[in-house]
Amino acid sequence: MAKVNENQESIEKFIQMYDNGIPNKEIGDYFGIKPNTVCYWAKKLGCTMRGSGKKNKYHNPFEQQSPERDYWLGYLFADGHIQRGVIDLYSVDLDVIEAYKNFVQGIGTITTENYTVNSGETHTIYKYHIYSVDISVWFMTEFNISSTKHHNLDPSIDINWDIIKGYFDGDGSAHKVRGFTLNSSSEVWINRIWNFIKEELDIEAKINQYLECYKLCIWSKEDLAKFIPKLYQNNTFCLERKKIKFEPFISNDNRKLGELREDCDVNPQPSQPLTKLEGSETND
């Protein structure tokens, strides 16, 4: 007997049954809950409530364009899962979850999941869930996002630096000697990002492919000195643990820049995904 929030499939099944007019008792029998609890879950998941003519409608935090909104769009494109009824954002950094919660004004819930890395250490991944049919359907339609976005990501939005910064924090790596790398399983999306950067800056980059992952790499000291200040030009939220590795390029500290290697080898192999869900290939 499935629980309503056991997984994405059970959530989708509940919404489908409720929207199709299946009696509360029958839904309750299917999920092992009381009819009154069916109403609770219907409201929580943003379904149209029967009889009242009212809808449990949250505000949509993604409608109004802003640098902050674009940052979180980029992060969701990298480390999010969107399907009818729910928008999920994943991170190993609790401060990301707290900042995102503040952006969406708390219209969601947080869950955690432990995972084990190759060394045998156990870590925690945080998940923020927004349960809303209205918002999720709007998001998927507005930005052309499918529930299987992993390989076909090509959002219908003009790329800007805030979107790239958010995507980088979700699915990129910062290296003191290797420079900047960005990962995607969508060849179209990684090339769209590179085309935007080429139009903005006169720099060199390389796109490596490993299995089904594409990695955009910028490692020249001179190119990073142009690129990094652009990436962090807006004072929106960002992952400090990544930003701090680029501090010499942000502060333009010539002494520290001199300590960095100008030409560096780039490893095209991505690290393993944190979960089997549609998250990042890397999160360094």
Side-chain angles (χ1 to χ4, degrees):
M1 185 177 294
K3 294 181 180 179
V4 176
N5 63 340
E6 181 177 357
N7 52 45
Q8 302 295 341
E9 291 183 2
S10 62
I11 291 172
E12 185 75 12
K13 179 66 175 179
F14 179 93
I15 293 171
Q16 182 183 38
M17 293 178 74
Y18 193 88
D19 285 355
N20 288 341
I22 305 300
N24 284 5
K25 185 180 185 308
E26 187 174 336
I27 298 175
D29 290 343
Y30 182 88
F31 288 100
I33 57 179
K34 297 179 180 179
N36 287 344
T37 308
V38 171
C39 295
Y40 163 81
W41 278 107
K43 183 176 181 180
K44 184 177 180 65
L45 296 175
C47 299
T48 300
M49 303 306 294
R50 298 171 181 170
S52 66
K54 297 179 180 179
K55 183 177 277 193
N56 178 35
K57 184 173 178 62
Y58 298 122
H59 78 281
N60 186 341
F62 305 105
E63 284 185 311
Q64 185 65 40
Q65 195 279 332
S66 69
E68 186 180 21
R69 192 253 353 218
D70 288 350
Y71 172 87
W72 290 117
L73 287 182
Y75 204 109
L76 282 164
F77 295 158
D79 253 355
H81 177 83
I82 300 96
Q83 69 176 48
R84 188 177 187 276
V86 63
I87 297 176
D88 291 334
L89 180 141
Y90 312 123
S91 181
V92 297
D93 296 272
L94 184 57
D95 58 336
V96 170
I97 298 297
E98 294 294 342
Y100 181 65
K101 178 182 178 181
N102 183 63
F103 166 70
V104 301
Q105 298 180 32
I107 57 165
T109 58
I110 300 173
T111 61
T112 61
E113 177 183 324
N114 292 329
Y115 66 97
T116 303
V117 296
N118 293 336
S119 64
E121 295 181 341
T122 299
H123 297 271
T124 300
I125 184 170
Y126 302 92
K127 305 178 181 181
Y128 196 95
H129 315 280
I130 297 176
Y131 296 113
S132 171
V133 173
D134 284 347
I135 298 175
S136 59
V137 170
W138 178 91
F139 194 105
M140 296 173 75
T141 303
E142 180 73 13
F143 301 118
N144 186 36
I145 301 295
S146 72
S147 59
T148 57
K149 69 177 178 63
H150 201 205
H151 295 285
N152 59 14
L153 180 64
D154 186 19
S156 54
I157 188 172
D158 291 335
I159 294 176
N160 59 45
W161 290 105
D162 293 300
I163 289 176
I164 294 176
K165 182 169 69 173
Y167 192 88
F168 166 68
D169 278 354
D171 211 352
S173 297
H175 312 277
K176 283 188 174 180
V177 295
R178 290 183 185 171
F180 170 96
T181 57
L182 200 64
N183 312 283
S184 179
S185 293
S186 170
E187 184 178 11
V188 172
W189 179 239
I190 205 75
N191 278 296
R192 279 186 61 190
I193 292 175
W194 173 227
N195 287 335
F196 169 83
I197 295 172
K198 284 193 298 184
E199 291 177 0
E200 293 280 316
L201 299 170
D202 180 20
I203 64 175
E204 296 293 330
K206 185 176 181 180
I207 296 178
N208 295 317
Q209 182 179 1
Y210 178 77
L211 299 179
E212 296 181 345
C213 179
Y214 299 89
K215 185 184 288 282
L216 173 64
C217 312
I218 302 174
W219 59 87
S220 162
K221 183 174 66 176
E222 285 76 14
D223 289 340
L224 287 169
K226 299 175 185 177
F227 174 77
I228 296 303
K230 278 284 191 178
L231 187 67
Y232 291 102
Q233 62 186 332
N234 285 338
N235 190 30
T236 51
F237 175 83
C238 67
L239 265 178
E240 287 295 331
R241 64 179 174 82
K242 292 187 178 182
K243 181 180 178 181
I244 198 171
K245 294 184 179 181
F246 293 131
E247 192 275 332
F249 300 107
I250 298 171
S251 64
N252 197 26
D253 188 324
N254 290 327
R255 180 182 59 82
K256 292 181 179 179
L257 283 172
E259 296 173 356
L260 299 175
R261 289 168 52 193
E262 178 174 351
D263 294 316
C264 309
D265 295 330
V266 175
N267 180 6
Q269 179 174 351
S271 59
Q272 295 301 310
L274 293 174
T275 71
K276 293 182 181 179
L277 298 173
E278 302 188 15
S280 64
E281 282 78 22
T282 181
N283 199 25
D284 295 336

